[in-house]
Amino acid sequence: MATALPAYTVTIAEAPTYSAEASDALPAYENSTASAPSSTFVPSAGIDEKVPNHFKINGQYVKTQVKPSDLQSHLTLLGAFHRLREEVRTINHVKADIPMKPDDRYAVFLQRAVYRFEQWAVRMMGPGEEGEDGTPTSDQPGRLGETEVPPLDVIMVWHTYMLNPRTYYEDCLRKLPGLLKIGSVARLSPSSFPLMQLAGSVDQETLLPHPPSGSRVAAFTSLTGQSFEPPTNTTSEETVTVFCPSCSQPILIPWITYKGDGYAQRGFTCACSHCQFEFNRETLGVRKFFEDMEYCMHDPDRNFIANTVVDYQCGVPVDPVFSKGLSWNVLSIREGLDPIRPEVLAQKIGWTLKSVEEYCRKGVLGKRNKPVIDTPRQAARLNIILAAYRHPGPFSMDLASAVIRQMTFVEKMVNLGFTKPGRLEEDSETLTRCVVRYHHFLDLMAVSPGNYVVPTLVPDHDDKVNQGALSDAYDKTAEAWKSRFGVPYSICGCLPPVKTMDICSGPSTSGLPLLSKKGRSKVALETPFENTRPDLISPSDGVADQTHPSDHHAVAILNPGERNMAQAQVRRQELAKRAKELEKGVDKGKAGQWSKVMQKRAAADHTPSFLCPVQYGVS
C-alpha cells in the first residue's frame, strides 16, 4: 500500500533492519507461472513447451531460471520503451518553446522520468497490510495492486535500476524498503520485478500502454503529486522543487531554460533565493553524503554510507559490524561523537567532491599516511563508495545515464526484430535457443569462478566495464565456451582467437582444389555441414546476428584519451591479424565448417565489437 512521504527535513531517519543470512539473494524476475490478475501478460500458446524443467549447471541439476514466456514479455516491455523514446525524440504534435536536439530532448525526459520514479519509489510501501504507523506488517512480498502499477516511464527507470541488482538491493535496504515488498511470493528472493504484471500494462500489438483506469490515474497522482501521463514535452514554464543544500529552503527551479542551466540540463546551476548559495548537481550529491554522515553519527549500528552493506561477490548483506567499521573508517567517526548537521559538515570539509574525497582518504590512510589494508584495494573501495554521491537523490547510481546505456541494447533487440509485434508468435525456436544459451552461460560462469565472462546479445546483462577488459574477457569466454560445449560462442562476424577457429595444420578438409607436389590439382571430399549443438547455435544469418558480443556495458566518450585510442587500435590490429589467418586457412582448405561461416560473415561489412574508445566510469 502507499503512504505519503513526510515533509523534507534534516532529522534522522532510521535505516531498515537486516541480517547477513546466506538465504538473502539478489532481486530476480518473478516466475511467469505464478497466479496473476487479469492484466498479466499473456504469452503465446505453447511457447514454453520445448524448454526442460531443469538444466545441468556445474554438475548439478538446477530448476530453469527463465523461460521463453519471460523473454517474450520482457521484449514487449523493451519494445514499449523504445517506442516511448522515439515518441519523445521525434515529437512534433506540440510546439516546444525551447528548441532542442532529439537526444537532448530525450535526456531531459529521462531526468524527469527518474524524478517521477523517485517520487513513486520513496512513497511505495508495497502491497500488504499496514500498521497504525503506515508501515507494512507482513514480511511476505506480493504483487502490486491494480491501481499501483505506475506509468510506462516510471516502469522503464525501475527496470533499468533492477538491471544493477547489487546496487538496487543495497539501496532498498538502506533507503527504499518499500520496494522490497514488491514481488512474487513464489520466489526466494527478497524482491522481484513483477515482469508479467508490468508487461501486461502494454498492448502487445501496438506497444502502447493500455489506457489506465481512472482509479489507477488517481492513485498515482495522489501518491506522487505528478500527472500519470509521461511528460514527453517539457516547456520552460514547468518547474521542480529543489531544497537548497545550504539552508534547506525549497526553491522552484525550471526543468529547462534558454541558457541551458535548468534542473534537467547538463549545465544546471542555481543561486538560492533565500541564502544566495550557488549550487549544482554535484553540490546536491555532496549534501547527500553529509546527510548520510550525520545518520552514521546518530546511530552507527544501523546507518551506514553507500556501498558498504551488500557484498560485491556473493550479493548478500555483510555483517553490520563490517559496514559500521568501514563507514567509521571512511568518515573518521569515533565513539560518542555527537551528530553534526550536514551544512555544518560542509562548511568544515567543503562543498565539492574533491574536498570530500580528500577528507575520506585521510580517514582511510590514517594519520601516518599508511593504508589500513593494501592501497589499491582501499582506493578502489573508496572510489566505489564516493560514486554513489556524484548525483542527488536516494539512488547510488545515475539512473538517467543507465537508461541511455540500456537503450543501446534495446536498439539491438529492435534491429534484430525481436520487439516487432507478432515476430515470435510462430518462432518459439529462437527464444528456446536463447534460454538454452543463457543456462549454458550460467554453467560457464559456475565452472570459471573469479573470471569475468562476457555475454553475447543473448544472454546479456548490464554493467560498466573497461573496454579493454571486455575484449580480453570476451576472447577468453569464446575459448572456454568452445572447449566446454564444442561449438563456437559467436559466429556473427566478430572473430575469436585463432585457436578457436578450427584451422588445422594438416591436409585440407574441404572440397577446395589443392596443388600436389607435382603441381596437379587434387580435390578433397566435401564434408557435410554437421551441427552437433543446434540448441546452442545455428549458421543461419538471423541466429548468427544474435551471437554478437554485447558491448553496451561501456560508455563512448567524445574526446578519448591516448590510452583509450591505443586500446582500440591494438584491438583493430589483432582482429586484422585474425582475419588474415582465417582467410589463409579458408583459401588453403584447412578451415573447419564454422570457420567458413565466420569468414563469410566477417567479410559482409560486419562491425566488430570493442572498437569504440571508451572510458571506465563515465556517466
Side-chain angles (χ1 to χ4, degrees):
M1 297 302 166
T3 183
L5 184 70
Y8 176 94
T9 63
V10 292
T11 55
I12 306 302
E14 288 193 351
T17 57
Y18 66 87
S19 63
E21 295 296 326
S23 61
D24 287 330
L26 290 174
Y29 285 133
E30 72 171 68
N31 191 331
S32 61
T33 60
S35 60
S38 58
S39 60
T40 295
F41 180 86
V42 180
S44 300
I47 195 172
D48 293 335
E49 290 180 354
K50 295 183 179 180
V51 177
N53 292 325
H54 294 79
F55 282 91
K56 196 172 185 179
I57 297 178
N58 196 18
Q60 297 183 348
Y61 284 97
V62 176
K63 186 178 179 181
T64 300
Q65 299 297 295
V66 64
K67 297 181 180 180
S69 55
D70 297 313
L71 300 186
Q72 188 180 25
S73 60
H74 193 181
L75 289 167
T76 298
L77 269 183
L78 297 186
F81 298 159
H82 183 266
R83 185 213 57 78
L84 178 60
R85 186 192 73 162
E86 292 308 295
E87 178 186 344
V88 174
R89 294 180 76 255
T90 60
I91 192 167
N92 55 20
H93 63 274
V94 292
K95 184 177 181 181
D97 61 348
I98 299 180
M100 287 185 287
K101 295 179 180 179
D103 287 343
D104 292 337
R105 187 183 300 118
Y106 186 62
V108 168
F109 172 78
L110 288 181
Q111 290 293 342
R112 298 193 66 177
V114 170
Y115 178 80
R116 285 158 56 83
F117 171 69
E118 177 184 341
Q119 302 309 302
W120 179 79
V122 298
R123 292 165 170 82
M124 275 305 299
M125 295 309 299
E129 296 181 1
E130 297 180 353
E132 293 182 359
D133 60 352
T135 59
T137 58
S138 172
D139 292 331
Q140 285 289 347
R143 71 173 46 250
L144 291 169
E146 289 282 358
T147 63
E148 292 180 316
V149 176
L152 185 62
D153 61 325
V154 172
I155 294 174
M156 177 177 67
V157 175
W158 188 15
H159 167 267
T160 297
Y161 197 11
M162 289 201 70
L163 290 177
N164 298 267
R166 196 213 62 81
T167 299
Y168 179 85
Y169 187 23
E170 172 158 314
D171 284 355
C172 287
L173 287 172
R174 292 180 64 244
K175 295 190 176 183
L176 304 166
L179 291 184
L180 291 180
K181 300 294 293 180
I182 303 171
S184 168
V185 296
R187 304 291 281 190
L188 296 178
S189 164
S191 175
S192 59
F193 188 68
L195 177 62
M196 287 292 182
Q197 184 181 16
L198 298 180
S201 68
V202 174
D203 188 312
Q204 296 185 51
E205 295 299 320
T206 65
L207 299 180
L208 291 167
H210 288 300
S213 65
S215 56
R216 182 179 164 203
V217 171
F220 181 80
T221 301
S222 175
L223 179 68
T224 66
Q226 304 288 306
S227 66
F228 187 90
E229 194 69 20
T232 54
N233 180 58
T234 298
T235 68
S236 59
E237 296 179 355
E238 296 175 273
T239 60
V240 58
T241 300
V242 177
F243 293 89
C244 174
S246 179
C247 69
S248 302
Q249 293 299 311
I251 311 169
L252 283 179
I253 300 176
W255 284 104
I256 59 174
T257 68
Y258 287 94
K259 292 174 57 179
D261 59 358
Y263 189 71
Q265 294 173 295
R266 294 180 181 178
F268 165 65
T269 58
C270 178
C272 177
S273 57
H274 302 277
C275 67
Q276 284 70 56
F277 179 74
E278 294 187 3
F279 61 94
N280 53 27
R281 298 186 76 84
E282 177 183 333
T283 319
L284 293 171
V286 171
R287 164 73 190 214
K288 178 171 67 173
F289 174 84
F290 292 132
E291 287 177 352
D292 282 357
M293 187 172 178
E294 182 191 15
Y295 297 161
C296 291
M297 294 177 181
H298 175 77
D299 190 349
D301 293 320
R302 290 174 54 83
N303 296 305
F304 315 108
I305 56 176
N307 292 321
T308 64
V309 173
V310 175
D311 187 273
Y312 265 79
Q313 292 186 326
C314 61
V316 300
V318 298
D319 190 323
V321 174
F322 174 83
S323 299
K324 174 183 177 179
L326 182 56
S327 297
W328 278 32
N329 187 26
V330 171
L331 301 176
S332 298
I333 295 177
R334 62 183 184 274
E335 195 74 44
L337 186 66
D338 292 331
I340 304 174
R341 292 179 62 82
E343 57 270 24
V344 177
L345 289 168
Q347 291 171 3
K348 293 183 177 181
I349 299 173
W351 278 108
T352 66
L353 278 172
K354 183 178 180 180
S355 61
V356 169
E357 181 178 358
E358 290 175 353
Y359 172 82
C360 292
R361 288 197 182 281
K362 291 179 182 178
V364 171
L365 296 176
K367 293 182 179 180
R368 288 180 290 182
N369 206 36
K370 292 184 178 180
V372 179
I373 311 177
D374 58 292
T375 301
R377 181 179 178 183
Q378 280 294 83
R381 183 179 292 278
L382 181 57
N383 288 336
I384 292 172
I385 290 172
L386 295 182
Y389 299 100
R390 297 185 181 277
H391 43 78
F395 317 118
S396 296
M397 60 181 294
D398 184 344
L399 285 177
S401 295
V403 173
I404 291 176
R405 290 196 301 274
Q406 178 62 15
M407 274 297 163
T408 64
F409 172 75
V410 174
E411 192 77 37
K412 292 172 183 177
M413 294 295 100
V414 172
N415 293 338
L416 287 170
F418 276 8
T419 63
K420 184 179 181 181
R423 158 71 169 79
L424 302 171
E425 286 292 334
E426 299 179 359
D427 183 18
S428 61
E429 181 179 328
T430 294
L431 293 186
T432 298
R433 185 181 290 109
C434 292
V435 168
V436 175
R437 282 178 64 87
Y438 174 72
H439 286 87
H440 282 68
F441 182 79
L442 295 181
D443 175 64
L444 196 65
M445 291 179 66
V447 299
S448 308
N451 293 329
Y452 186 83
V453 289
V454 178
T456 55
L457 292 179
V458 183
D460 182 63
H461 72 292
D462 196 7
D463 194 10
K464 285 192 290 185
V465 183
N466 178 276
Q467 193 79 318
L470 267 179
S471 60
D472 293 342
Y474 173 76
D475 289 345
K476 294 177 182 178
T477 302
E479 293 178 26
W481 183 280
K482 177 67 181 300
S483 174
R484 187 162 181 80
F485 306 125
V487 291
Y489 185 45
S490 171
I491 55 171
C492 64
C494 293
L495 301 182
V498 174
K499 60 183 177 181
T500 70
M501 288 198 277
D502 293 333
I503 300 177
C504 64
S505 57
S508 168
T509 59
S510 71
L512 296 175
L514 303 177
L515 292 178
S516 66
K517 292 182 179 180
K518 295 182 179 181
R520 289 177 295 182
S521 65
K522 59 182 180 179
V523 179
L525 295 177
E526 181 71 38
T527 303
F529 195 98
E530 181 181 359
N531 185 1
T532 58
R533 294 301 304 269
D535 58 330
L536 293 179
I537 200 165
S538 168
S540 67
D541 289 340
V543 176
D545 287 337
Q546 300 162 18
T547 66
H548 185 69
S550 181
D551 58 356
H552 79 276
H553 319 79
V555 185
I557 56 178
L558 297 177
N559 298 300
E562 293 183 4
R563 181 179 180 183
N564 306 110
M565 293 294 291
Q567 282 184 342
Q569 182 60 27
V570 169
R571 185 67 180 177
R572 288 191 186 92
Q573 294 172 352
E574 173 62 25
L575 291 180
K577 180 180 178 181
R578 295 177 187 179
K580 187 174 181 180
E581 290 290 329
L582 179 58
E583 183 179 9
K584 181 179 178 181
V586 171
D587 289 344
K588 291 187 175 182
K590 295 184 178 183
Q593 57 182 9
W594 289 113
S595 295
K596 295 177 186 177
V597 174
M598 293 180 194
Q599 198 267 347
K600 178 182 176 181
R601 291 189 57 82
D605 197 27
H606 180 76
T607 302
S609 291
F610 316 123
L611 293 185
C612 179
V614 301
Q615 179 171 306
Y616 174 68
V618 172
S619 298

